[in-house]
Amino acid sequence: MLEKKDDMNGGRARRIRERHRRRTMWERYALVTVVGVLAVAAVILALKLVTSGNSEGKKNDNSQLLTSVENTGAVETEASGNGNVSDDQGTGTVISSSEPQTDSAVASAIEEAKRLAASYDYDEAVSRLESIRSKDESGEVEKLLAEIADVKKTLVDADITAIPHIFFHSLIVDTSLAFHNDKARGEDYNRVMTTVDEFNKMMQQMYDKDYVLVSLHQMAQYTETADGTGKMTAGKISLPPGKKPFVLSLDDMSYYAYMMPDGFATKLIIDSDGRLTNEMEKNDGTKVYGSYDVVPLLDDFVELHPDFSYRGAKGAIALTGYDGVFGYRTDQDYYLKEHLLSNQQEWLDKHPDFDYEKDIAEAKKVASALREDGWELATHSWGHRDMKENSMEKFIIDMEKWIDRVETIIGETDIVIYPFGTDVGSVSKYTMDNEKYAWLHKHGFHYFCNVDSNQPWVQLGDNYLRQGRIDADGYMMYYHPGKLSQFFDVSYVFDDSRPLPVPEY
Ligand SMILES: [Zn+2]
């Protein structure tokens, strides 16, 4: 085969050489003419580019040209062995280094302003545009300012008592493991969890229906008063007509040890680009990384659709403490090896390289990254205790543990997301006669979320905000699809890998 191929190639080369020899004089003459014409055209083109430097129509071409001149200069410098690019390398470099910088500063300010305006932060967008107004020659800044002024005239202030709230637990990544690995746990996940596929469809449909994420702190703001009772004031959320604000929250984003074998993400981490993402440790010990749970999935979605979030709002994350936070085993029980549940001991056995201090340091970083990214953090009690049923004494012991062992890691919060959704009060307004409310108020908690399937349910008290939440989970979708239909079409999002019927409580 090889010989034959060489023969064929040799034959082809010979034919080409013969054809070349047969080239007539007039062909050579034509070639010289074409080359000459091309050279003249190139000179004319180059002259045109130089003379049209300041004309608006050629601006982009010109800046590209200047950028490539600068790049060539840098390459030449490297090739000649001189590592330092100095300013006195010739006028070409000096010109090219100033123009594109102005252009790119204007372009990046415009991009930023567009993104701010898309997330309804019009005033910030305007101030960004005004800072570069005099430098922009394209007219785009003026055009955007006019557009923003028009949109601002149409804005409608949201009625904060009409804002719904939906919540999720950790999302199921591997449905076959979650639903079939263990019978009792599988039934529980089928009731209270949502799959990745369902979540993605829900967010897309909510976006299509003009829903916009807002935060609890955007809904209302708490201010201290001299007598210590404090005051809660309704927030101003201004949206274009037709846009519908909603709040989202996540319960128990702890990646509990008991869930390890069941096909969920196992940790929230910060990747090498500084972005929040998930680690998923599989049952064979291998680890994969990516968007496997609500935080990175929603981050990805908002990145793609900035108009899904009001000024960067994401959701509130409810955290217990007994098993650590975000998948880090930060509770002292892990360090002291005290009071460990069997699944926690198994987790320790599986992770002989566990470093308590390192987990605490990582969890702190993740908490700040979450806040930076628009997420709010909330207490969910230390031991996932029913705050209504618990005695006052046990309620205090549990909450003091949370403040001592969790708040020290995740930072201060003023949000309570009730475990089991059970509120310390009735539907009537909280008063200081309610000793659990009084205790929570005294310890800096002013935002309270229970579970209520009547959406919306919002109570603006004198010194607190209370909101009911609806669970977008298997139980609710299967038994009460109508209660979710304002948000999405349950028959479309429902994951057909769920064993049916979804078990009742
Ligand atoms: Zn919970």
Side-chain angles (χ1 to χ4, degrees):
M1 275 301 281
L2 269 174
E3 268 178 50
K4 207 170 182 184
K5 197 176 173 191
D6 282 345
D7 269 347
M8 278 170 74
N9 284 342
R12 185 165 175 261
R14 264 196 307 279
R15 281 196 300 277
I16 289 168
R17 278 197 298 276
E18 280 163 21
R19 226 170 29 220
H20 186 73
R21 273 199 299 272
R22 282 201 302 270
R23 185 171 281 161
T24 57
M25 278 302 286
W26 72 265
E27 275 177 317
R28 284 187 202 171
Y29 174 74
L31 187 70
V32 168
T33 310
V34 168
V35 168
V37 168
L38 280 174
V40 171
V43 168
I44 292 169
L45 187 69
L47 282 170
K48 272 196 164 183
L49 282 171
V50 170
T51 52
S52 67
N54 289 326
S55 95
E56 231 174 54
K58 293 276 180 190
K59 194 148 183 62
N60 286 339
D61 291 344
N62 190 34
S63 64
Q64 271 164 16
L65 181 75
L66 290 170
T67 310
S68 68
V69 168
E70 188 180 34
N71 288 345
T72 311
V75 170
E76 277 169 6
T77 310
E78 270 178 339
S80 69
N82 178 2
N84 297 318
V85 181
S86 62
D87 278 341
D88 57 359
Q89 273 187 0
T91 45
T93 312
V94 173
I95 294 165
S96 65
S97 67
S98 65
E99 275 257 337
Q101 268 175 23
T102 312
D103 276 359
S104 71
V106 169
S108 73
I110 287 173
E111 278 317 302
E112 215 186 322
K114 278 184 183 170
R115 197 169 175 86
L116 284 163
S119 66
Y120 316 100
D121 202 346
Y122 302 109
D123 292 342
E124 263 312 302
V126 166
S127 83
R128 210 56 56 93
L129 289 171
E130 275 174 347
S131 73
I132 47 139
R133 202 171 190 168
S134 61
K135 293 184 195 125
D136 174 50
E137 293 163 9
S138 67
E140 193 173 2
V141 167
E142 293 305 319
K143 194 172 142 253
L144 283 170
L145 283 167
E147 272 174 29
I148 291 173
D150 283 347
V151 175
K152 277 184 79 174
K153 282 179 214 155
T154 68
L155 297 182
V156 182
D157 286 345
D159 170 6
I160 70 135
T161 64
I163 296 179
H165 186 149
I166 66 169
F167 78 99
F168 300 90
H169 284 89
S170 290
L171 301 177
I172 295 168
V173 182
D174 187 330
T175 52
S176 60
L177 275 178
F179 295 133
H180 305 288
N181 199 25
D182 176 272
K183 191 172 186 293
R185 293 202 301 271
E187 289 183 349
D188 199 38
Y189 300 145
N190 198 357
R191 277 190 289 262
V192 306
M193 304 313 213
T194 309
T195 69
V196 165
D197 190 42
E198 287 171 343
F199 179 79
N200 287 336
K201 287 178 171 168
M202 287 174 186
M203 291 303 107
Q204 184 62 53
Q205 286 212 331
M206 289 185 74
Y207 176 66
D208 294 341
K209 285 182 174 223
D210 280 331
Y211 277 96
V212 177
L213 282 160
V214 299
S215 72
L216 290 165
H217 285 88
Q218 287 168 341
M219 282 181 72
Q221 288 96 41
Y222 181 82
T223 42
E224 298 287 353
T225 55
D227 63 358
T229 54
K231 188 170 168 48
M232 190 62 90
T233 317
K236 189 172 154 72
I237 296 172
S238 306
L239 287 164
K243 291 288 180 186
K244 293 173 267 188
F246 81 105
V247 175
L248 178 146
S249 56
L250 304 176
D251 283 13
D252 303 278
M253 205 183 71
S254 314
Y255 304 116
Y256 292 130
Y258 81 85
M259 291 163 60
M260 274 289 290
D262 299 333
F264 292 87
T266 45
K267 219 180 231 185
L268 187 67
I269 62 158
I270 301 170
D271 71 12
S272 53
D273 297 327
R275 292 169 60 93
L276 289 157
T277 192
N278 288 118
E279 178 179 289
M280 186 171 169
E281 187 179 332
K282 299 197 168 178
N283 290 340
D284 63 3
T286 56
K287 291 172 181 172
V288 289
Y289 299 89
S291 300
Y292 296 118
D293 201 5
V294 172
V295 168
L297 284 171
L298 199 64
D299 281 357
D300 295 346
F301 195 83
V302 171
E303 177 98 31
L304 207 59
H305 308 289
D307 54 335
F308 192 50
S309 159
Y310 186 76
R311 303 184 181 183
K314 297 286 171 57
I317 301 172
L319 297 161
T320 57
Y322 73 94
D323 218 8
V325 290
F326 318 131
Y328 300 90
R329 303 300 169 223
T330 53
D331 194 72
Q332 67 181 45
D333 287 354
Y334 273 94
Y335 177 68
L336 301 170
K337 300 194 169 42
E338 280 177 0
H339 320 296
L340 291 175
L341 302 166
S342 61
N343 58 60
Q344 293 177 318
Q345 187 56 56
E346 273 168 39
W347 189 93
L348 273 179
D349 295 343
K350 257 192 154 180
H351 299 87
D353 55 344
F354 169 63
D355 179 340
Y356 179 71
E357 295 300 335
K358 198 172 157 222
D359 264 31
I360 288 196
E362 288 301 316
K364 282 181 176 175
K365 280 188 215 160
V366 168
S368 354
L370 280 165
R371 289 177 191 273
E372 191 99 333
D373 194 31
W375 295 89
E376 296 181 318
L377 304 176
T379 183
H380 199 47
S381 83
W382 180 82
H384 207 278
R385 298 285 175 229
D386 187 324
M387 293 194 184
K388 189 186 181 77
E389 294 303 318
N390 232 357
S391 68
M392 189 62 196
E393 192 196 350
K394 285 185 175 169
F395 165 85
I396 293 173
I397 291 172
D398 178 84
M399 278 308 292
E400 282 181 341
K401 260 187 182 174
W402 191 86
I403 289 168
D404 184 37
R405 303 188 191 181
V406 184
E407 201 165 36
T408 46
I409 292 167
I410 65 159
E412 273 189 25
T413 179
D414 50 8
I415 307 170
V416 177
I417 292 183
Y418 291 116
F420 309 105
T422 49
D423 201 306
V424 296
S426 66
V427 292
S428 322
K429 284 194 171 182
Y430 289 145
T431 66
M432 289 301 173
D433 296 337
N434 180 328
E435 57 177 355
K436 285 175 184 164
Y437 170 71
W439 191 95
L440 290 166
H441 178 267
K442 192 179 150 209
H443 288 81
F445 295 100
H446 309 301
Y447 297 79
F448 301 87
C449 300
N450 55 38
V451 171
D452 193 312
S453 61
N454 299 306
Q455 289 294 305
W457 191 94
V458 178
Q459 189 175 68
L460 181 68
D462 294 336
N463 52 10
Y464 68 88
L465 178 80
R466 191 154 55 138
Q467 192 176 30
R469 310 183 300 150
I470 189 166
D471 31 349
D473 58 17
Y475 182 85
M476 196 51 77
M477 284 195 284
Y478 191 71
Y479 292 103
H480 304 285
K483 295 196 171 198
L484 294 167
S485 59
Q486 60 175 304
F487 305 116
F488 43 80
D489 174 7
V490 169
S491 62
Y492 168 71
V493 306
F494 195 84
D495 198 314
D496 56 20
S497 65
R498 285 181 183 275
L500 298 181
V502 171
E504 291 193 70
Y505 282 100

